[in-house]
């Protein structure tokens, strides 16, 4: 007991000092430097259009309009891509609830694009870990090109080129996987340039 | 497995071993009180801290004093986190206006962060205020890791010193580990992460106008939302230390699967590296401190020999994908080129990491007692998910937690030299110290305690109605969720099959106790061994001495770790992941 009591003052003093140092000084100093060097990233990598914040380039959004590229399924509650409450489905591989959900997603993709017999890229019918995955694999984006092209009256080749120029390769050519940011891709689709292209395509066909 | 995956794994180990070789000798100098250039920066701060605390950094501590100081300090930490959680509603830096955390959940979290477990029964962004995250959780991330490294330093001194009672000063070890080893690395990693996109701000959550309005069902009626709330905060500073300190407690609910916590392949590689970096460097530090570097590298070799096949096994399982989905027309092969896809099982995984990085992370985070995740282990294939469970059950000694992993492994070393001694009929010795009855009794405590802490609560849970009501998946997978939970808490890992709704009194209270017992009932016998070894005379190596740095000993050590782990846990694993795998390939 004497051993313990003798250590009381050092314990309290060291705990208080390290709390201030690692709990206040360290995060505050990191914030200061981060805000100076990387203000955009430090504040959430937000994307603005016309002075209005329309999202973060790192946080996915739900897209179900056939004229947009659909994002991956999301398991967040109460609605998909709820950024305030990140979550995966946590369904095990043999769980009937998972298999039913995947079957329904496969059916929806096939129904929206009946001519497309390609194997479905797995990321397009499975929920991401965060429920906020901002990306699609290039395969999953390209899989949707025929549907989006038809819905927008755009030539599929132009759309395919738009996707391919937006593919981000592996980090330093090695790390992670290639990917396409869905929000940025869809914003590019909605941009005036692309809409002009859409009008031209219509003018040619009519 | 793809060629790219193998290349990434090779680069990973190169980064790990290269860092360990460079940083380990520096760590040894820090614990000898010679931090070098950083000493000129932090030295005045360090000395004023000792004055404030009335501590003489050169004062000798016996193992009992050392243990008392460590326990007292950890108790204070536990109480402080509990108090912060319960009072956060009345305290500043709470822009979201979050209220007090419930009592059993707050106890569980306090125990979890003090013990370097970081099991989380809560979702960070909706539960903890900025103040609690910083002043409670970030602080514990530092000091629980520094406590582990301090106990390791004391244990090594026990091996090195002759006829001495002195294991060093806990306070000096704690302060030096924090100031000179953890803080500089964390600061650098945090800034790297911000550059890659991790937020670092005290501002409130951002609001965004969605491109498409989302309609959803809310209790029977259809409602819609056109706005997204994007939680921010001092994320990078906490993520850096949670990776480096083998803590693992995420800022956000989904941990490093969250695009803000781990935005890019580069941030992922850096965070992965940080999981094992200090644990590997601890081994090199050990070699330097006992003045025989080969001893440290032999331990690294044994750890790596166990880890590498586990990574490959997990990656293979995940790359095979889910045969039940393949039947529906879902692709499973990895494709390179313009229409690239990682293939495999993508449920619960992020596109930017794919199968290769998710499997590497799962094995690394459970080899270390880190417990952070970049994919949802609950949705892994049965064999892919078996790997993290088994890695934890090996007792978190394959790299393991910073400090705690190596002292755990050194106890297995003692068991291994004892078995070798029995085989040839000689008194076992390690690094010139005879291993006798007292050391073996303490080692047996260390080796036997975690399996009891895993299996007994698991057995209790499967007969408890409350525990079973928390399951998210039926059948064998549900059992795996329970087994995972107690493998995690009983070995201070902290990762989860996260479908389990763990915020109920059964898991909170029992789990909190399991974490406390696992951390401190191992720490005390480890220090007791150190005290006993320090008192011994040096036994000069003779003809019968088993060299502990060669391949023969590495193989012996690997066998001991694997046999103890496998014998204890194979029956439980057969009921969970193995049964599920057989059902899955049987098409049920």
């Amino acid at each position: 007991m004497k051993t313990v009591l003798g250590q009381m003052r050092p314990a309290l003093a060291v705990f208080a000092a390290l709390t201030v140092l690692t709990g206040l000084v360290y995060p505050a100093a990191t914030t200061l430097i981060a805000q100076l060097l990387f203000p955009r990233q430090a504040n959430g990598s937000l994307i603005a259009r016309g002075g209005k914040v329309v999202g973060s380039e790192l946080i996915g959004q739900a897209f179900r309009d056939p004229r947009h590229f659909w994002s991956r399924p999301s398991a967040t509650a109460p609605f998909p891509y709820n950024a305030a409450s990140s979550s995966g489905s946590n369904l095990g591989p043999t769980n009937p609830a998972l298999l039913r959900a995947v079957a329904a997603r496969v059916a929806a993709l096939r129904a929206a694009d009946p001519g497309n017999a390609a194997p479905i890229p797995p990321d397009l019918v499975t929920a991401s870990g965060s429920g906020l995955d901002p990306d699609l694999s290039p395969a999953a984006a390209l899989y949707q090109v025929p549907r989006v092209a038809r819905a927008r009256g755009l030539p599929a080749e132009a759309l395919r080129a738009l996707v391919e120029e937006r593919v981000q390769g592996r980090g330093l050519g090695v790390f992670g996987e290639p990917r396409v940011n869905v929000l940025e891709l869809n914003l590019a689709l909605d941009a005036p340039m692309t809409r002009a292209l859409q009008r031209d395509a219509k003018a040619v066909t009519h | 497995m793809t060629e790219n995956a193998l290349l990434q794994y090779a680069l990973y180990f190169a980064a790990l071993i290269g860092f360990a070789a460079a940083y380990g000798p520096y760590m040894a100098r820090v614990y000898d009180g010679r931090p070098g250039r950083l000493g000129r920066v932090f030295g005045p701060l360090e000395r004023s801290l000792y004055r404030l605390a009335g501590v003489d950094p050169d004062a000798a501590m016996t193992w009992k004093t050392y243990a008392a100081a460590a326990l007292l300090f950890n108790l204070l930490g536990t109480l402080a986190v509990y108090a912060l959680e319960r009072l956060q509603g009345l305290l500043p830096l709470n822009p979201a206006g979050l209220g007090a955390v419930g009592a059993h959940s707050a106890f569980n979290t306090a125990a979890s962060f003090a013990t370097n477990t970081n099991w989380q029964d809560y979702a960070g962004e909706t539960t903890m205020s900025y103040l609690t995250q910083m002043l409670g959780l970030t602080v514990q991330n530092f000091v629980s890791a520094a406590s582990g490294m301090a106990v390791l330093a004391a244990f090594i001194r026990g091996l090195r010193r002759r006829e001495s009672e002195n294991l060093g000063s806990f306070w000096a070890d704690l302060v030096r580990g924090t100031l000179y080893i953890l803080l500089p690395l964390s600061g650098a990693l945090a800034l790297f992460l911000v550059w890659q996109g991790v937020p670092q701000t005290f501002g409130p959550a951002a609001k965004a106008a969605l491109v498409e309005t989302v309609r959803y069902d809310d209790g029977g009626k259809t409602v819609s939302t056109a706005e997204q709330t994007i939680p921010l905060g001092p994320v990078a500073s906490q993520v850096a230390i949670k990776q480096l300190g083998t803590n693992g407690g995420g800022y956000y609910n989904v941990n490093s699967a969250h695009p803000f916590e781990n935005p890019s392949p580069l941030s992922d590689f850096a965070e992965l590296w940080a999981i094992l970096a200090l644990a590997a460097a601890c081994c090199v530090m050990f070699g330097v401190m006992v003045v025989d570097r080969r001893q440290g590298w032999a331990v690294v070799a044994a750890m790596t020999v166990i880890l590498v096949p586990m990574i490959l096994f997990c990656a293979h399982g995940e790359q095979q994908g889910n045969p039940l989905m393949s039947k529906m027309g879902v692709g499973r092969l990895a494709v390179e080129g313009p229409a690239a896809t990682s293939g495999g099982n993508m449920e619960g995984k992020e596109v930017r990491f794919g199968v290769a990085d998710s499997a590497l992370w799962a094995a690394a985070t459970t080899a270390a007692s880190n417990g952070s995740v970049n994919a949802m282990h609950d949705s892994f294939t049965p064999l892919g998910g078996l790997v993290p469970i088994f890695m934890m059950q090996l007792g978190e000694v394959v790299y393991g937690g910073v400090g705690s992993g190596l002292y755990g492994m050194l106890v297995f070393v003692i068991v291994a030299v004892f078995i070798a001694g029995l085989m040839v009929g000689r008194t076992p010795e390690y690094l010139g110290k005879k291993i006798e009855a007292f050391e073996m009794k303490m080692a047996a405590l260390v080796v036997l305690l975690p399996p009891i802490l895993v299996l007994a609560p698991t057995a209790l849970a499967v007969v408890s109605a409350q525990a079973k009501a928390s399951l998210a998946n039926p059948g064998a997978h549900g059992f795996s969720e329970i087994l995972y939970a107690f493998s995690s808490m009983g070995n201070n890992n902290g990762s989860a099959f996260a479908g389990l709704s763990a915020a109920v009194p059964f898991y909170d209270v029992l789990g909190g106790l399991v974490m406390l017992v696992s951390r401190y009932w191992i720490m005390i016998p480890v220090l007791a061994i150190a005290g006993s070894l320090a008192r011994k005379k040096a036994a000069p190596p003779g003809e019968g001495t088993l060299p502990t740095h060669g391949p023969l000993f590495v193989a012996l050590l690997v066998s001991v770790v694997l046999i103890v782990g496998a014998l204890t846990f194979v029956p439980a694993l057969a009921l969970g992941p193995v049964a599920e795998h057989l059902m899955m390939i049987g098409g049920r």
Side-chain angles (χ1 to χ4, degrees):
Chain A
M1 207 57 218
K2 222 178 105 212
T3 337
V4 175
L5 288 180
Q7 300 301 327
M8 199 47 120
R9 177 180 160 200
L12 285 169
V14 171
F15 183 68
L18 290 184
T19 297
V20 171
L21 188 66
T22 61
L24 291 176
V25 177
Y26 160 69
T30 309
T31 307
L32 195 70
I33 302 172
Q35 292 285 344
L36 277 174
L37 294 182
F38 313 111
R40 195 179 60 83
Q41 295 96 314
N43 295 303
S45 308
L46 301 176
I47 304 176
R49 286 287 182 275
K52 196 171 65 168
V53 173
V54 296
S56 160
E57 66 177 75
L58 295 175
I59 303 293
Q61 296 186 8
F63 291 102
R64 298 312 289 171
D65 186 328
R67 295 176 310 126
H68 279 142
F69 283 88
W70 293 350
S71 36
R72 297 184 63 189
S74 159
T76 61
F79 53 87
Y81 287 88
N82 178 9
S85 182
S86 60
S87 171
S89 77
N90 286 311
L91 297 175
T94 56
N95 192 322
L98 171 69
L99 300 172
R100 272 197 304 273
V102 172
R105 291 164 190 158
V106 168
L109 282 168
R110 297 275 193 226
D113 190 8
N116 196 338
I120 297 173
D123 53 315
L124 199 49
V125 289
T126 50
S128 63
S130 60
L132 305 174
D133 195 339
D135 300 317
L136 285 172
S137 68
L142 291 173
Y143 180 90
Q144 303 184 55
V145 162
R147 184 198 77 234
V148 180
R150 218 164 28 247
R152 289 204 170 239
L154 269 176
E157 274 321 299
L159 206 52
R160 181 177 297 275
L162 185 77
V163 171
E164 281 175 359
E165 79 191 28
R166 295 190 156 269
V167 170
Q168 287 175 271
R170 291 197 165 99
L172 305 178
V174 181
F175 301 114
E177 298 290 338
R179 60 206 197 276
V180 183
N181 186 298
V182 191
L183 175 59
E184 288 180 336
L185 178 63
N186 283 329
L187 285 173
L189 273 182
D190 291 344
M193 281 272 284
T194 322
R195 282 207 212 110
L197 189 71
Q198 211 165 327
R199 274 196 303 277
D200 293 348
K202 278 202 184 113
V204 173
T205 42
H206 286 282
Chain B
M1 219 166 311
T2 61
E3 280 166 32
N4 172 265
L6 295 176
L7 178 60
Q8 289 196 59
Y9 297 166
L11 288 171
Y12 179 66
F13 279 96
L16 205 59
I17 302 293
F19 170 79
Y23 209 64
Y26 165 71
M27 289 168 70
R29 286 198 299 278
V30 167
Y31 286 109
D32 278 345
R34 298 178 287 118
R37 245 172 303 170
L38 266 181
R40 263 170 261 156
V41 184
F42 288 122
L45 181 68
E46 186 194 350
R47 284 186 291 276
S48 56
L49 214 157
Y50 294 144
R51 267 197 305 279
L52 176 78
V55 163
D56 171 8
D58 300 319
M61 281 191 184
T62 63
W63 81 263
K64 282 181 186 156
T65 315
Y66 203 101
L71 289 180
L72 188 62
F73 182 78
N74 278 268
L75 176 68
L76 275 182
T78 314
L79 295 177
V81 174
Y82 184 81
L84 269 170
E85 288 181 83
R86 301 289 285 158
L87 300 173
Q88 67 177 7
L90 312 171
L91 296 170
L93 273 178
N94 183 8
L98 298 167
V101 181
H104 55 84
S105 179
F107 161 70
N108 185 278
T109 305
S112 169
F113 276 74
T115 57
N116 198 257
T117 309
N118 296 31
W119 173 266
Q120 295 171 290
D121 73 348
Y122 61 89
E125 63 266 51
T126 53
T127 314
M128 300 294 174
S129 73
Y130 291 1
L131 189 77
T132 310
Q133 296 262 21
M134 285 163 43
L135 218 51
L137 307 185
T138 303
V139 170
Q140 286 305 313
N141 281 352
F142 275 99
V143 297
S144 67
S147 298
M149 292 195 297
V151 170
L152 172 66
F155 187 83
I156 298 173
R157 290 188 194 112
L159 282 165
R160 189 177 59 179
R161 293 190 173 156
R162 317 269 183 253
E163 298 171 73
S164 163
E165 292 280 343
N166 179 9
L167 293 184
S169 159
F170 174 73
W171 304 118
D173 289 341
L174 179 75
V175 168
R176 285 170 182 159
T178 308
L179 280 183
Y180 299 117
I181 295 174
L182 296 174
L183 261 180
L185 276 183
S186 300
L189 181 60
L191 289 177
F192 179 85
L193 292 177
V194 177
W195 174 52
Q196 286 297 305
V198 180
Q200 180 71 26
T201 171
F202 291 110
K207 301 267 186 200
L210 288 170
V211 175
E212 274 187 27
T213 301
V214 179
R215 273 173 243 292
Y216 62 100
D217 183 75
D218 181 31
K221 61 178 189 293
T222 304
V223 288
S224 69
T225 179
E227 195 184 59
Q228 196 178 36
T229 300
I230 302 176
L232 303 169
V235 185
S237 53
Q238 183 171 333
V239 172
I241 184 61
K242 77 134 180 174
Q243 294 302 110
L244 283 164
T246 57
N247 300 284
Y251 190 91
Y252 295 102
N253 183 39
V254 293
N255 211 289
S256 280
H258 197 292
F260 272 163
E261 203 157 321
N262 190 3
S264 71
L266 287 187
S267 68
D268 191 65
F269 189 75
E271 290 182 21
L272 257 168
W273 164 84
I275 289 176
L276 297 183
L278 279 175
C282 278
C283 298
V284 177
M285 169 184 104
F286 160 66
V288 172
M289 285 176 85
V290 297
V291 207
D292 183 356
R293 293 194 185 208
R294 296 171 306 179
Q295 303 291 343
W297 287 113
V299 177
V300 174
M303 292 170 167
T304 310
V305 164
I306 299 175
L307 179 57
V308 169
M310 291 292 179
I311 295 170
L312 299 180
F313 187 78
C314 183
H316 178 75
E318 291 310 296
Q319 191 66 60
Q320 291 306 301
N322 186 336
L324 303 175
M325 289 187 197
S326 305
K327 279 187 206 158
M328 304 174 193
V330 178
R332 62 176 197 92
L333 295 179
V335 178
E336 296 286 329
T341 166
S342 74
N345 170 26
M346 284 299 288
E347 180 71 26
K349 293 190 182 64
E350 301 283 297
V351 167
R352 61 195 179 282
F353 311 137
V355 166
D357 286 2
S358 302
L360 175 58
W361 188 301
T365 195
T366 47
S369 70
N370 188 292
S372 61
V373 296
N374 76 346
M376 296 300 116
H377 294 179
D378 213 347
S379 297
F380 272 30
T381 60
L383 293 186
L386 183 149
V387 167
I389 301 182
F390 188 58
M391 289 307 290
M392 293 187 293
Q393 291 171 340
L394 291 182
E396 298 300 15
V397 296
V398 180
Y399 288 90
V402 290
S404 62
L406 183 55
Y407 68 62
M409 188 55 136
L410 290 176
V411 170
F412 273 101
V413 167
I414 288 177
V415 174
V417 295
F418 176 74
I419 291 171
L422 284 185
M423 287 194 281
V424 295
R426 285 183 184 262
T427 310
E429 55 195 73
Y430 183 53
L431 301 180
K433 291 292 175 79
K434 284 205 168 81
I435 305 298
E436 290 165 304
F438 179 75
E439 289 79 31
M440 281 315 297
K441 274 186 212 159
M442 292 296 125
L445 268 183
V446 172
V447 172
L448 291 180
L449 189 72
I452 297 168
L453 290 175
V454 172
L455 293 175
T458 301
L460 202 56
V462 295
V463 293
S464 148
Q466 188 182 55
K468 281 189 288 185
S470 292
L471 297 181
N473 286 285
H477 196 86
F479 176 75
S480 298
E481 283 183 342
I482 297 177
L483 183 64
Y484 197 112
F486 286 106
S487 297
S488 176
M489 291 191 273
N491 289 288
N492 294 132
N493 180 275
S495 66
F497 268 10
L500 184 78
S501 310
V504 296
F506 179 88
Y507 291 106
D508 276 344
V509 176
L510 186 59
L513 294 173
V514 161
M515 289 187 276
L516 291 171
V517 173
S518 169
R519 175 80 167 177
Y520 302 116
W521 276 27
I522 286 180
M523 209 180 250
I524 294 170
V526 161
L527 285 169
I529 295 176
S532 160
L533 290 176
R535 274 196 296 272
K536 289 178 195 248
K537 289 195 193 108
E543 255 176 50
T545 303
L546 172 72
T548 48
H549 59 260
L552 181 66
F553 183 75
V554 168
L556 179 67
L557 179 58
V558 168
S559 314
V560 168
V561 171
L562 288 179
I563 289 171
V564 169
L567 284 183
T568 318
F569 291 107
V570 160
L573 290 170
L575 291 176
V578 175
E580 192 187 11
H581 174 72
L582 295 176
M583 285 166 70
M584 185 177 79
I585 57 171
R588 284 159 201 263

